[in-house]
Amino acid sequence: MDETCFRFERCEVRLAAREIVLDGRLQPVEPRPFDLLVYLIHRRDRVVTKDELLDELWPGQCPSPGVIARAVMKARQCIGDNGRVARLIKTVHGTGYRFTGSLLQGEPPSPQALQARPQPPAALPASRPVPRGRVPLALLPFENSTGQADLDWIELGLMSMVARALESDPRLQLPELSSLLMALQTLAPQAPPEQRMEVATRLLGARHAVHVAVSKEHDQYVLVYTVSSQPGQQRLVGPELTGLGQRLASSLTALVLDGDAAPASVGYESADPLVNEALARALQASGEHRWRTAVNLFKVVLDIEPLNTGAQLEYLRALSFLGDEAAFSLGERLLEQVRSAGQPRLAIAVHEALARAYNNRLSPQGLRHAKAHLAEAMRLADELNQTQERKSALRVLIGILIHERDFAAARQCLDEMERLHDAGGDVVEHVRFLGSFGLAAMAMGDPQRGLDIFRNVIGLTGQHRLQDLHAMTLLNAVYPCVDLGLLDEAVRNSESALPIAQSMRNLRLRTIAIERLSLLYRQRRSLPQMRRLMAEADQVETSAPVQNAFLLTARGHHAACEGAHEQAADMLDKAMAIFRDSEALLYVRDAIPWRVISLALSGQTEAAETARAQALELPGLGDDPTLHAALGHGQALMAHLRGDREAARRRLGDVAATAPAGMWRAYACLDGAWLAIEDGELDAAGTLLAGLGPWLTQHPVGLAVQARFRYAKGDCAAALQAPQGTPMPLEPVPVLPTAL
């Protein structure tokens, strides 16, 4: 066999050229995943342990725990082995990996024959190579040493004004504010400046980190700044803070770029100090995601200076995050303004803000407008070699494509994001990107791959003490865990995330954790734990609508757990109304099936059927396969409650055969198997139970059905080995097991 070129299935691995060809197309591949693939192919007769891979491919290094998993993931992508179950590079849990593909001899198929197969559509125009030479700089939140509480806007407001001025220079690259704040959360609030600069350098890949302290001497403000790459401190003195900020931007540009060119103006500064202060306060509110406060402050600025370009742009961004209709007319006016002024970088920002506003509409026409604005933003970003701007637009586009279920195009965008991402050393951006990749895998119907990615991110965020990201990833991992039946891991993750959210005083994460745990405890039939969780929910005080909707959802699950299904349906209905008003349709989708179930179990079958029909008319949800599976399960429950076993079994069979992998398909299989056992059709029951894996060992319903199946087959000893407390009724029950 030719050992200079390995051929298997649709692939060709060329060792001398270090190339991988899939379906006749050259695949982008990094050095380490290529070496790992070749190493596994050479040793395809055995399992290669993780320790061996570390010793051979990362000699003398101490890489993070997820580095092998990431290299394996990338190798699988290159050879088309990224389906729900990997076929070519098998994972041997607890040990390592093995290449199990069959190598071919002879000539590979011609590229013409391979390219005749259907190819995924192009998602976006080809981008230019990643630009080199941009200097990464991290500007830390300013320290207010004046002793004046009314100058609290210095921290993020004045800092944001300086950051915007620095960002206007195409030679500089600053991290997103959210990434910066996440990195700083790894430290105590009063950590010294040296530690804060070190974290910015290490976690954000900044070449220069800048700490700024603002004090006041008599009637003058004193701005003292330290640059991590430079010895000593620098001082700026002046009577007005925003003027000092502009001078700081010019000084930093000259310092880090070894020149004397000042940053280009983006229209933020004003001759009126009161306008500048209002603008800084608005930027502070935006940085803290207090969008309504920010909008009101930007209005104050624009009432005085209606042509202030920077204020208009920030006002547009705040309106787009709020989903305010005023964003559209403002955006179009501002777009015309920056075009006529020849400001393409500002045009990119306007296009992205308009895309976010249209995306919030979630209508087909709105999504088309959003994609058109994103395409123009990326075209301009390519012309100007602005990688950060292109990445930002790609993030929005990926969400739209997943919502439209255009997974081929979404995958192409993710590959583009990965290529752009690999050019930097920003750890926070890396784990956020991986998290997006995991969510995309989930949306594409691959929970196992999503969970593998989330496990990797959990390890990385734990290692770097990125608490917010760690908690959010633990909660995101609940979805694939539940879909795969890994209820124990899902509960562990949620129970680990809740105290982190409490310690970080993050109400959003805290309410999400309560909502996730309520569903898990409901499925576990864990009433004592549910009651303790409700005591925790009662301690939460929040005015944010979506957070209150999470708490209402949790209380709905608690009511259902107590058997108060009419109350549960009412609470879930209130939560769904808030989610709809907030455009959070994915949360509406998750709550709908449980409301339908509670309506049916409370005897309101007509209302349940109406709720089911209305759900399919919601924009963006009518063709969602997960929702269809959930509502199909609800129809089976209603048929069973009417006494129509045949219709119930038929509907459950349809869901089991057509639904994507996940909770509702598993529920259909379990309930269908239960009815088949009652009807004496054990072969049919066995077919439905085959492949459910952890669902039969960790979920109460799975344990009950498995025990009943073994009992029906005459294996009484195995049936009696079911964990204590597992229900095993031997007579027909009024409802399906999952609804008990």
Side-chain angles (χ1 to χ4, degrees):
M1 182 174 295
D2 181 9
E3 290 287 333
T4 65
C5 181
F6 295 119
R7 301 186 183 100
F8 48 93
E9 294 201 353
R10 302 173 294 142
C11 301
E12 184 176 357
V13 180
R14 301 167 181 168
L15 275 64
R18 296 182 64 84
E19 293 176 346
I20 296 178
V21 178
L22 175 66
D23 289 343
R25 295 176 179 271
L26 200 63
Q27 302 297 301
V29 58
E30 297 175 17
R32 204 80 71 174
F34 183 90
D35 292 339
L36 180 141
L37 174 62
V38 172
Y39 193 88
L40 292 177
I41 293 175
H42 276 301
R43 292 153 185 81
R44 56 192 176 275
D45 59 329
R46 62 179 176 86
V47 176
V48 179
T49 67
K50 295 178 182 178
D51 288 342
E52 181 180 348
L53 289 171
L54 286 173
D55 291 341
E56 294 295 327
L57 302 181
W58 289 270
Q61 300 180 36
C62 297
S64 65
V67 69
I68 297 179
R70 182 171 182 269
V72 169
M73 178 185 74
K74 288 176 174 289
R76 284 171 172 160
Q77 291 171 8
C78 292
I79 61 177
D81 193 28
N82 47 8
R84 192 164 68 88
V85 178
R87 299 175 298 101
L88 299 173
I89 301 178
K90 292 284 188 181
T91 300
V92 182
H93 292 289
T95 305
Y97 301 90
R98 183 177 181 183
F99 180 82
T100 56
S102 298
L103 299 188
L104 306 175
Q105 295 185 355
E107 291 299 313
S110 70
Q112 291 77 14
L114 289 170
Q115 290 178 359
R117 303 174 182 176
Q119 300 295 330
L124 56 134
S127 68
R128 298 183 179 186
V130 179
R132 305 294 180 184
R134 293 186 71 179
V135 178
L137 181 148
L139 189 64
L140 303 179
F142 289 5
E143 180 182 329
N144 178 13
S145 301
T146 64
Q148 296 179 230
D150 62 324
L151 294 178
D152 58 348
W153 52 271
I154 286 175
E155 182 183 15
L156 293 179
L158 183 58
M159 171 264 208
S160 295
M161 291 187 75
V162 176
R164 298 296 195 275
L166 291 168
E167 287 170 335
S168 69
D169 191 312
R171 298 168 295 175
L172 296 175
Q173 178 174 305
L174 277 72
E176 293 183 11
L177 179 59
S178 57
S179 295
L180 174 66
L181 297 178
M182 286 177 184
L184 294 176
Q185 284 174 355
T186 64
L187 299 172
Q190 303 304 319
E194 295 77 14
Q195 290 185 17
R196 294 165 71 82
M197 290 190 290
E198 187 276 331
V199 161
T201 303
R202 175 169 51 86
L203 294 183
L204 300 173
R207 190 181 307 169
H208 309 278
V210 183
H211 175 267
V212 179
V214 181
S215 59
K216 194 171 186 182
E217 296 178 1
H218 307 296
D219 59 346
Q220 297 286 302
Y221 290 101
V222 179
L223 191 151
V224 178
Y225 64 97
T226 307
V227 182
S228 60
S229 57
Q230 304 289 331
Q233 297 178 329
Q234 305 285 337
R235 281 169 56 94
L236 293 172
V237 181
E240 196 268 316
L241 280 171
T242 53
L244 274 179
Q246 191 65 31
R247 286 169 57 193
L248 173 64
S250 298
S251 298
L252 288 174
T253 303
L255 183 66
V256 303
L257 295 178
D258 297 322
D260 57 359
S265 169
V266 292
Y268 282 87
E269 68 281 356
S270 168
D272 187 338
L274 292 178
V275 171
N276 284 331
E277 181 178 334
L279 181 54
R281 287 185 180 276
L283 290 169
Q284 176 94 10
S286 293
E288 296 169 345
H289 290 187
R290 294 184 290 115
W291 299 114
R292 183 56 63 190
T293 300
V295 161
N296 292 334
L297 287 166
F298 285 129
K299 283 181 179 177
V300 171
V301 174
L302 293 171
D303 283 344
I304 301 171
E305 296 186 357
L307 297 181
N308 187 312
T309 306
Q312 290 183 80
L313 177 57
E314 297 299 338
Y315 182 36
L316 172 63
R317 284 171 170 158
L319 289 172
S320 70
F321 276 106
L322 280 174
D324 195 308
E325 291 289 312
F328 302 112
S329 56
L330 171 62
E332 294 300 334
R333 288 199 310 271
L334 187 54
L335 198 56
E336 186 60 35
Q337 184 177 318
V338 297
R339 281 172 177 163
S340 61
Q343 296 173 303
R345 289 196 71 200
L346 286 180
I348 296 173
V350 176
H351 278 299
E352 184 177 332
L354 278 169
R356 289 184 186 276
Y358 278 113
N359 186 31
N360 284 335
R361 285 184 165 178
L362 288 177
S363 65
Q365 184 179 12
L367 295 180
R368 283 196 298 273
H369 283 303
K371 288 195 290 187
H373 281 290
L374 291 171
E376 184 62 14
M378 287 188 286
R379 185 189 68 79
L380 291 171
D382 287 345
E383 286 185 359
L384 300 175
N385 261 5
Q386 298 299 302
T387 307
Q388 289 295 100
E389 286 79 355
R390 183 178 182 86
K391 285 160 63 174
S392 183
L394 275 171
R395 288 191 191 98
V396 182
L397 180 58
I398 289 168
I400 292 173
L401 293 171
I402 289 174
H403 176 82
E404 294 180 325
R405 307 193 65 77
D406 188 350
F407 296 139
R411 178 54 206 235
Q412 188 176 352
C413 288
L414 283 164
D415 289 343
E416 170 73 1
M417 277 282 289
E418 187 171 23
R419 190 185 71 79
L420 296 176
H421 162 75
D422 286 341
D426 188 330
V427 173
V428 176
E429 184 184 3
H430 174 60
V431 295
R432 293 177 79 177
F433 165 73
L434 287 179
S436 299
F437 218 107
L439 291 172
M442 283 292 302
M444 295 177 190
D446 193 346
Q448 184 60 62
R449 187 173 182 211
L451 181 57
D452 289 342
I453 294 170
F454 286 143
R455 284 170 173 167
N456 183 18
V457 176
I458 289 168
L460 290 170
T461 52
Q463 174 190 349
H464 292 291
R465 296 180 295 174
L466 295 165
Q467 294 286 69
D468 268 9
L469 283 175
H470 188 64
M472 192 69 252
T473 309
L474 286 168
L475 294 172
N476 282 337
V478 168
Y479 287 115
C481 283
V482 169
D483 279 347
L484 296 167
L486 299 170
L487 214 58
D488 294 344
E489 184 174 348
V491 171
R492 281 197 309 272
N493 285 345
S494 297
E495 290 179 340
S496 298
L498 182 55
I500 296 174
Q502 291 169 327
S503 66
M504 302 294 292
R505 298 183 180 179
N506 189 322
L507 279 178
R508 176 174 172 270
L509 287 181
R510 189 178 178 187
T511 53
I512 291 174
I514 289 171
E515 185 266 342
R516 298 282 198 278
L517 278 169
S518 70
L519 176 58
L520 295 171
Y521 291 157
R522 175 179 181 171
Q523 294 190 65
R524 274 251 177 112
R525 280 62 170 166
S526 304
L527 192 52
Q529 289 175 298
M530 180 74 89
R531 288 170 177 166
R532 286 195 294 271
L533 183 67
M534 289 304 101
E536 165 70 22
D538 290 340
Q539 301 300 313
V540 178
E541 295 183 7
T542 176
S543 59
V546 171
Q547 293 170 13
N548 275 314
F550 286 138
L551 296 176
L552 278 169
T553 303
R555 292 189 175 101
H557 289 314
H558 171 229
C561 210
E562 297 274 12
H565 286 289
E566 187 172 351
Q567 182 183 0
D570 181 59
M571 288 183 170
L572 290 168
D573 185 44
K574 291 177 180 176
M576 287 165 52
I578 297 173
F579 287 140
R580 280 195 298 269
D581 290 343
S582 303
E583 304 284 354
L585 288 190
L586 287 180
Y587 296 127
V588 176
R589 182 199 70 178
D590 292 342
I592 286 170
W594 300 108
R595 180 168 181 263
V596 169
I597 287 172
S598 285
L599 286 169
L601 293 177
S602 65
Q604 303 177 72
T605 52
E606 186 174 333
E609 180 56 39
T610 300
R612 186 198 69 81
Q614 289 174 344
L616 296 175
E617 297 175 0
L618 289 170
L621 295 182
D623 60 350
D624 187 297
T626 298
L627 180 61
H628 274 275
L631 295 177
H633 181 272
Q635 282 183 303
L637 171 62
M638 287 185 277
H640 191 258
L641 289 170
R642 293 193 304 268
D644 192 344
R645 293 172 59 85
E646 183 180 347
R649 285 193 62 182
R650 185 169 58 251
R651 195 70 189 95
L652 290 170
D654 291 343
V655 175
T658 61
M663 177 176 67
W664 295 108
R665 179 183 177 278
Y667 273 6
C669 290
L670 290 171
D671 285 337
W674 184 277
L675 294 180
I677 294 167
E678 288 184 341
D679 293 341
E681 300 179 20
L682 299 188
D683 288 343
T687 299
L688 286 167
L689 295 178
L692 286 184
W695 279 98
L696 302 179
T697 58
Q698 295 188 24
H699 199 286
V701 173
L703 291 166
V705 175
Q706 180 85 306
R708 188 179 180 90
F709 180 62
R710 288 170 173 169
Y711 185 86
K713 293 181 68 175
D715 192 353
C716 298
L720 292 173
Q721 289 176 359
Q724 188 174 6
T726 299
M728 192 180 66
L730 300 181
E731 298 298 329
V733 290
V735 294
L736 298 173
T738 57
L740 280 171

